[in-house]
Amino acid sequence: MFRTLLLGLATALGLTAAQAADDPLKVGFVYVGPIGDHGWTYQHHEGLKAIEAKYGDKVKTTFVESVSEGPDAERVIRQLAASGHGLIFTTSFGFMDPTVKVAKQFPKVKFEHATGFKRADNLATYSARFYEGRYIAGQIAGKMSKNGKAGYVASFPIPEVIRGVNAFLLGMQSVNPDSEISVVWVNSWFDPGKEADATKALIAQGADIITQHTDSPAPVQTAANAGIPAFGQASDMHEFGKTAQLTSIIDNWAPYYVTRVGKVLDGTWESTDTWDGIQPGMVQMSPYINMDYEIAKAAKETEDLIRLGRLHPFTGPIVDRDGKERVAAGETADDGMMATMDFFVKGVIGDLPK
Amino acid sequence: MEPFLIAVIVAATPFLYAATGELVAERSGVLNLGVEGMMLLGAVAAFVTALTTGSSGLGILAGAAAGATGALLFVIVALGFSANQAATGLALTIFGAGASGLIGQGYVGEALKPLPKLQAPEQLAEFSGVRILFNHDVLVYGAFALIAIVWLYLNFTRSGLRLRAVGDDHHSAQALGLGVLRIRSLAVLFGGACAGIGGAYLSLAYTPLWAEDMTAGRGWIALALVVFASWRPLRIVFGALIFAAFDQAGNYRETLNIEIPSQFLSMAPYLATIIALVMISLASRRSDTPACLGREFRPDR
């Protein structure tokens, strides 16, 4: 928090000179966690490195890490905008409203916000269809779990996370219809201690397979120490649980970032809404390991079906846990519904704060 | 219920170390807000040492040394040069976060084996109480021992009395011939070493890995805990267990059958601290708040 303050101050003081035409394009990144989280922010930072590798002297990158989702974020984003950045990526859901606000004040600066849904002429959004990967993980869990009960270490009750929980459970139920998931909210994107506590609690309460939607490798490690299989998140977490990690959803942002920076450089950038999944490779699965060959083969097959568009994780009938039908039999959920998902499907245990 | 109670004891341990150390420093009249930074320094030093030497014992020592080194900076600036204590402490937190990130850069992605746990004797292991109280690692027991020692020291030794005297009225203490700055420096260094061990507990036992900012605000909770405990060591045990229970309750919602929103539980420690502060100022009888807490001291010549 304080480091970001200092960094922000430094950029604001040092870099306010107006941009000349052939100056390098300044690209700013705002991260919610530390670049060493070995998860979400780490993967975005890999994207930053890819931009530098591709464009060299034509760009100049800045990043501000561990920015909390709140008033602090607006200040950081504004300082980047005021200090001559031409393109700013804000990489967490909670940066949505601050980004919208600053984008209004700086119409000449281009903004891109990850995982949000509010756009403007100079504000694009982008996200990945992580739920596709979660559905595959869920299918693996359905085959590996002995008691049909998985534990889910969750961060905040936002549509992206809720969608992930549901996709995982639908995957599980596609092989074992009685499967259940217990959800524990840790109210943080990154707190290894709390994530480990939640994992222990889930295991103590009967979950025999663990998955997470938080950014540190602590759940995988804790599950490994308890001898329980687990799925990594955002980045390959195999190192933290060599015998535990079954696969990990890898967020591969680099190609997207490289493309978008290229569009600003050649003047063709437009405000767009990108939501890519396994097909173009924005979502990747790390190797399927620590499981039987048959299970790995089936997972690979599901991955291919999703890539080819033959399988949609949210295919009806989908009933929420109050018994209301949300997707009719044979239909698939549209993007609008998935982007605002606020219900748990039948079989999710745990509260859903509104 | 049993896993919940075990989790509470484990979660209380880093609070116990950091808060006990800070309590000693504050009873000597020094407010060191750098606990979070010292914990991070301890966490990274312990992890790197344990990983490279293979010895968790050396790791714990390195954690204590790193925390004390952070505290030494505080001593030099805030006590040696009489700089503002609150500002120096905040600077130490920022410094600790940055320096630990830098030191740990090459160690992200490494993992350690957790500290071994003591096993309860088999014939006793069938009792739930035994399973809750045993089966912990050595640092958990160390935390409770540390509090007992600090309690005895502050209340029943001459040296502890001197330390409290320095915290309550530094000018009188100096008139009595006590070395105010020397006593305060030692108290702050002790506090730093304790915070370092608290951090070491996180990176060696709690989640045996290094991640930047892995203390995630526990140093601030420890600071709040000292106030909540109204500067009394034994109340720290009580407070740490309560804060840890708030922390863990959300995870065991299914077992405990509670309907409190998890956001409220995250806020509860701070709310309890504010209530404790109000109660301290309302209490008619004299509290243990060190009268010279945070005030700068320049020796009269």
Side-chain angles (χ1 to χ4, degrees):
Chain A
M1 232 180 308
F2 297 105
R3 265 177 309 157
T4 61
L5 201 139
L6 291 181
L7 256 169
L9 210 63
T11 46
L13 291 175
L15 308 164
T16 41
Q19 293 273 296
D22 53 352
D23 274 350
L25 170 70
K26 286 170 73 178
V27 182
F29 282 81
V30 184
Y31 299 144
V32 71
I35 55 172
D37 69 355
H38 218 271
W40 176 262
T41 297
Y42 176 85
Q43 288 297 130
H44 284 285
H45 196 60
E46 292 295 302
L48 178 148
K49 288 186 199 158
I51 293 172
E52 285 179 338
K54 169 87 179 178
Y55 299 109
D57 291 344
K58 284 192 255 171
V59 294
K60 194 164 177 298
T61 60
T62 317
F63 66 91
V64 188
E65 56 181 334
S66 299
V67 177
S68 55
E69 299 181 325
D72 202 37
E74 189 183 320
R75 188 183 50 73
V76 171
I77 299 165
R78 180 173 295 116
Q79 271 166 353
L80 285 175
S83 57
H85 285 79
L87 176 62
I88 297 170
F89 293 99
T90 58
T91 65
S92 189
F93 180 78
F95 297 156
M96 180 162 67
D97 289 338
T99 308
V100 171
K101 211 164 160 189
V102 178
K104 246 181 224 153
Q105 294 160 347
F106 292 86
K108 291 202 176 125
V109 179
K110 297 172 178 67
F111 294 84
E112 300 223 3
H113 175 241
T115 70
F117 52 82
K118 295 186 182 168
R119 277 170 291 282
D121 283 347
N122 63 332
L123 169 56
T125 56
Y126 61 104
S127 185
R129 298 180 185 267
F130 311 113
Y131 66 86
E132 295 179 349
R134 292 193 187 278
Y135 184 84
I136 301 171
Q139 273 198 339
I140 298 171
K143 291 176 182 163
M144 301 276 294
S145 173
K146 290 186 185 67
N147 61 6
K149 196 173 170 194
Y152 207 107
V153 181
S155 48
F156 294 103
I158 58 173
E160 183 196 342
V161 176
I162 292 168
R163 199 165 57 233
V165 173
N166 288 337
F168 187 91
L169 185 57
L170 291 172
M172 253 184 121
Q173 289 175 343
S174 72
V175 280
N176 173 5
D178 298 328
S179 301
E180 292 179 336
I181 293 189
S182 289
V183 176
V184 165
W185 302 101
V186 295
N187 291 318
S188 173
W189 285 112
F190 180 79
D191 183 340
K194 272 196 183 161
E195 293 169 46
D197 287 338
T199 309
K200 285 180 202 161
L202 286 163
I203 294 170
Q205 291 171 109
D208 71 352
I209 198 157
I210 294 292
T211 186
Q212 67 180 96
H213 198 151
T214 48
D215 298 345
S216 95
V220 170
Q221 188 187 40
T222 308
N225 288 333
I228 300 260
F231 297 95
Q233 142 88 357
S235 171
D236 192 345
M237 294 175 172
H238 170 246
E239 283 301 313
F240 295 91
K242 290 200 172 71
T243 54
Q245 183 181 297
L246 301 169
T247 181
S248 183
I249 297 163
I250 298 176
D251 313 348
N252 181 26
W253 304 107
Y256 177 78
Y257 284 146
V258 167
T259 309
R260 298 300 285 175
V261 170
K263 286 194 186 289
V264 175
L265 287 172
D266 64 20
T268 56
W269 188 93
E270 281 183 336
S271 170
T272 48
D273 173 25
T274 304
W275 200 11
D276 284 343
I278 285 178
Q279 194 275 320
M282 193 181 259
V283 173
Q284 295 177 337
M285 305 302 287
S286 77
Y288 301 111
I289 50 170
N290 292 321
M291 65 183 84
D292 292 341
Y293 172 71
E294 293 303 322
I295 301 178
K297 207 173 94 179
K300 191 79 198 130
E301 201 178 299
T302 305
E303 190 184 328
D304 287 338
L305 287 173
I306 294 176
R307 180 176 293 114
L308 295 169
R310 303 270 180 84
L311 192 159
H312 191 296
F314 287 95
T315 301
I318 294 174
V319 179
D320 71 18
R321 61 177 182 178
D322 298 325
K324 192 171 151 203
E325 186 182 76
R326 296 293 189 146
V327 180
E331 290 181 17
T332 55
D334 59 41
D335 282 2
M337 176 195 185
M338 286 194 294
T340 54
M341 194 169 279
D342 60 353
F343 63 87
F344 275 149
V345 298
K346 198 161 157 272
V348 180
I349 303 164
D351 69 327
L352 179 56
K354 293 284 170 183
Chain B
M1 198 66 192
E2 187 183 310
F4 171 67
L5 294 175
I6 293 174
V8 166
I9 292 177
V10 172
T13 301
F15 297 151
L16 287 175
Y17 279 107
T20 308
E22 179 65 13
L23 178 130
V24 171
E26 290 194 11
R27 287 300 287 262
S28 83
V30 183
L31 180 68
N32 183 357
L33 295 179
V35 181
E36 180 88 356
M38 298 188 295
M39 284 179 83
L40 280 167
L41 287 172
V44 74
F47 183 80
V48 171
T49 307
L51 191 74
T52 45
T53 65
S55 154
S56 32
L58 284 178
I60 296 169
L61 286 180
T69 309
L72 182 65
L73 293 176
F74 181 92
V75 166
I76 294 169
V77 176
L79 300 182
F81 295 106
S82 302
N84 180 290
Q85 290 181 9
T88 311
L90 289 174
L92 177 56
T93 289
I94 302 168
F95 169 77
S100 61
L102 188 66
I103 297 166
Q105 221 172 24
Y107 297 89
V108 174
E110 304 277 353
L112 275 176
K113 284 221 163 333
L115 279 188
K117 293 181 173 14
L118 304 182
Q119 294 297 329
E122 237 171 66
Q123 55 271 41
L124 291 175
E126 59 188 274
F127 300 108
S128 174
V130 171
R131 285 199 304 269
I132 291 168
L133 295 178
F134 289 91
N135 291 332
H136 291 294
D137 52 69
V138 62
L139 280 176
V140 173
Y141 302 107
F144 289 94
L146 178 74
I147 293 212
I149 293 167
V150 164
W151 176 70
L152 288 171
Y153 170 78
L154 285 177
N155 291 306
F156 300 103
T157 68
R158 191 172 285 264
S159 166
L161 181 64
R162 288 198 193 107
L163 185 142
R164 287 188 284 136
V166 166
D168 279 332
D169 188 339
H170 43 218
H171 291 299
S172 308
Q174 197 209 8
L176 290 169
L178 299 181
V180 173
L181 288 181
R182 187 181 61 83
I183 290 175
R184 284 190 173 167
S185 303
L186 291 174
V188 172
L189 289 177
F190 175 80
C194 291
I197 299 177
Y201 182 72
L202 292 174
S203 66
L204 295 181
Y206 210 105
T207 49
L209 53 85
W210 164 251
E212 272 184 61
D213 291 334
M214 68 183 296
T215 48
R218 287 183 181 74
W220 299 107
I221 293 200
L223 277 163
L225 185 53
V226 176
V227 179
F228 178 80
S230 50
W231 291 273
R232 292 193 186 172
L234 297 185
R235 288 188 191 167
I236 284 199
V237 178
F238 174 69
L241 290 173
I242 290 197
F243 284 17
F246 284 140
D247 201 41
Q248 297 298 317
N251 294 341
Y252 291 88
R253 170 185 300 277
E254 256 181 76
T255 318
L256 302 175
N257 224 342
I258 41 169
E259 292 294 326
I260 310 168
S262 51
Q263 290 88 343
F264 179 84
L265 291 168
S266 303
M267 178 190 73
Y270 302 103
L271 191 66
T273 304
I274 293 170
I275 293 170
L277 272 173
V278 172
M279 282 167 62
I280 289 171
S281 38
L282 288 181
S284 51
R285 56 183 286 273
R286 204 193 131 271
S287 77
D288 284 341
T289 315
C292 288
L293 182 61
R295 279 168 46 193
E296 91 177 68
F297 173 71
R298 290 178 197 278
D300 306 324
R301 296 288 168 207

